[in-house]
């Protein structure tokens, strides 16, 4: 064997060894990929996705209104370099640092639970936004949404408690509750005046330091709660989670409760968080959602304004991608598109 042959053989063996090593070494990234879509005007488990209480008039819808999803590497899965490189070369997938998606110690079960809570909150906000758009009055109050196990709040506060005041201070926003608590020192107590059922009660809870930065925590999550004039339920695949379907849920409710079909035979999709006041917020994985919608033959995709720059780089084919800021914007956009004036709409 010549020296050249020996050199090539050694080099080839080294390349094979390096590739094998790279396939074994975990890297701190996760991959976003296009996920499945669900028609919110259709059915899930043989029942309409959107169901309105008996006695409230509803109307036939026409067309498809898809919520879009993104597949994300599970919290308990470590990716190797080869897998990440393949995803990086795929225009419909994205590679992002693991730390932007998961905590260092986050488990797959914790991630699923958080995603389910986000989905539930998005559905509540969607109901409120749609009902208000339809002219209903939907009173709101600050409530305890979650009480964390083994925290100082456990056994003191209960989900559904209405928060009236914190340490003698009236609160007007959920964020104000956290601000008052974080003005205390870890170990100090906090007094809450609550409405629980028909009773107004006063309770006291301790605080403990957060593991990451030592700020004082009581161990519960406050958020808006609502008094619904119309009961609405939303049934969807339990594997779907996160907050980003809120806008599409709101549009589906609105379409179901208005006499003239909104979607009107068109294939529409989109993604966006929504507040009870109808404001549409940014979401993750917009490029993968647009890619999935484009491949499915969607005609119009509604994207949050804040995601428009990213959306403009996505591979949506001939599909029109239009930015929206509010639920009212989204409704007007669909109406304009269905009237044949889609060219007048802004695009990403």
């Amino acid at each position: 064997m010549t020296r050249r042959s020996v050199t090539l053989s050694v080099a080839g063996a080294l390349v094979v060894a390096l590739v094998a090593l790279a396939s074994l070494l975990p890297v701190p990234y996760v991959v976003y990929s296009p996920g499945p879509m669900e028609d919110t005007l259709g059915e899930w488990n043989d029942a309409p996705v959107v169901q309105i209480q008996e006695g409230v008039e509803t109307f036939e819808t026409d067309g498809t209104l898809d919520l879009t999803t993104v597949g994300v590497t599970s919290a308990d899965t470590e990716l190797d370099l080869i897998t990440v490189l393949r995803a990086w070369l795929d225009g419909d997938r994205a590679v992002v640092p693991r730390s932007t998606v998961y905590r260092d110690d986050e488990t797959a079960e914790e991630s699923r639970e958080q995603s389910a809570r986000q989905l539930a909150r998005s559905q509540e906000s969607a109901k409120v936004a749609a009902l208000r758009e339809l002219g209903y009055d939907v009173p709101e109050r600050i409530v305890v949404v979650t009480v964390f196990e083994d925290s100082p709040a456990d056994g003191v506060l209960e989900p559904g408690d209405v928060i009236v005041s914190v340490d003698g201070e009236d609160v007007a926003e959920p964020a104000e509750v956290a601000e008052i608590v974080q003005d205390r020192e870890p170990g100090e107590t906090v007094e809450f005046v609550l409405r629980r059922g028909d009773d107004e009660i006063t309770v006291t809870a301790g605080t403990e330091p957060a593991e990451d930065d030592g700020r004082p925590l009581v161990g519960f999550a406050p958020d808006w709660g609502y008094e619904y004039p119309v009961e609405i339920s939303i049934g969807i695949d339990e594997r779907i989670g996160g907050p980003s379907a809120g806008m599409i849920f709101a549009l589906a409710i609105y379409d179901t409760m208005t006499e003239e079909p909104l979607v009107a035979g068109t294939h529409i999709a989109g993604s966006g968080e929504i507040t009870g006041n109808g404001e549409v917020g940014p979401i993750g994985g917009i490029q993968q959602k647009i890619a999935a919608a484009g491949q499915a033959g969607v005609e119009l995709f509604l994207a949050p304004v804040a995601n428009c720059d990213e959306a403009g780089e996505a591979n949506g084919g001939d599909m029109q991608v239009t930015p929206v800021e509010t639920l009212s914007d989204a409704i007007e956009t669909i109406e304009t598109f269905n009237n044949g004036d889609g060219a007048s709409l802004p695009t990403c």
Side-chain angles (χ1 to χ4, degrees):
M1 182 179 292
T2 65
R3 179 177 298 178
R4 176 180 174 81
S5 298
V6 171
T7 301
L8 290 173
S9 297
V10 171
L14 287 173
V15 168
V16 170
L18 288 171
V19 170
L21 182 62
S23 68
L24 296 175
L25 289 177
V27 291
Y29 294 95
V30 297
V31 172
Y32 284 169
S33 56
M37 304 193 304
E38 295 289 346
D39 180 14
T40 56
L41 298 180
E43 293 188 346
W44 174 252
N45 283 343
D46 298 322
V49 170
V50 171
Q51 299 184 52
I52 313 298
Q53 74 176 54
E54 291 186 16
V56 175
E57 190 172 16
T58 58
F59 304 90
E60 290 292 329
T61 59
D62 180 24
T64 303
L65 181 62
D66 281 328
L67 65 81
T68 53
T69 66
V70 59
V72 186
T73 307
S74 172
D76 57 2
T77 300
E78 292 186 329
L79 299 181
D80 59 72
L81 181 59
I82 300 299
T83 300
V84 168
L85 287 174
R86 286 174 179 165
W88 183 70
L89 293 171
D90 185 338
D92 289 342
R93 297 198 287 172
V95 178
V96 299
R98 185 183 182 86
S99 60
T100 64
V101 180
Y102 301 118
R103 302 189 316 273
D104 288 343
D105 60 347
E106 187 168 345
T107 65
E109 181 61 27
E110 289 173 333
S111 175
R112 283 191 290 269
E113 289 175 354
Q114 180 186 25
S115 185
R117 287 194 297 268
Q118 291 173 331
L119 175 65
R121 293 307 298 170
S122 77
Q123 292 175 340
E124 298 307 300
S125 297
K127 295 173 191 178
V128 176
L131 288 171
R132 287 176 172 168
E133 186 70 27
L134 290 162
Y136 287 91
D137 179 33
V138 187
E140 60 191 17
R141 66 263 197 230
I142 303 169
V143 300
V144 175
V145 176
T146 305
V147 177
F148 299 105
E149 189 176 356
D150 298 327
S151 71
D154 193 6
V156 179
L157 302 178
E158 296 180 2
D161 285 344
V162 178
I163 302 172
V164 177
S165 67
V166 182
D167 270 352
E169 298 183 46
D170 293 338
V171 287
E173 300 277 344
E176 293 179 7
V177 178
E179 289 171 3
I180 295 171
V181 170
Q182 289 173 17
D183 279 342
R184 308 297 176 260
E185 293 293 330
E188 292 183 345
T189 59
V190 182
E191 183 181 270
F192 297 90
V193 176
L194 310 169
R195 283 201 304 274
R196 182 175 293 169
D198 295 328
D199 300 322
E200 184 167 288
I201 62 174
T202 300
V203 300
T204 301
T207 58
E208 62 183 7
E211 293 182 0
D212 53 356
D213 58 10
R215 70 189 187 283
L217 298 176
V218 174
F220 73 100
D223 207 336
W224 290 116
Y226 303 96
E227 297 177 15
Y228 295 104
V230 175
E231 290 299 320
I232 301 170
S233 63
I234 300 173
I236 202 70
D237 190 336
E238 63 182 14
R239 293 172 297 179
I240 293 173
S244 63
M247 174 181 65
I248 296 300
F249 286 140
L251 287 168
I253 294 167
Y254 180 90
D255 200 358
T256 302
M257 296 180 68
T258 49
E259 185 171 1
E260 292 297 323
L262 174 66
V263 175
T266 310
H267 191 174
I268 296 172
S271 187
E273 291 193 40
I274 200 163
T275 68
N277 291 325
E279 298 168 351
V280 176
I283 47 84
I286 187 71
Q287 294 180 338
Q288 289 69 50
K289 293 173 180 179
I290 289 174
Q295 292 165 11
V298 170
E299 299 164 75
L300 173 67
F301 189 97
L302 304 174
V305 167
N307 288 120
C308 204
D309 287 345
E310 295 174 84
E313 299 175 0
N315 180 21
D318 295 331
M319 179 178 66
Q320 181 163 330
V321 180
T322 296
V324 295
E325 290 187 272
T326 65
L327 178 59
S328 296
D329 283 349
I331 293 168
E332 291 174 9
T333 294
I334 293 172
E335 291 173 340
T336 300
F337 187 86
N338 282 338
N339 287 335
D341 298 326
S344 69
L345 294 169
T347 58
C348 292

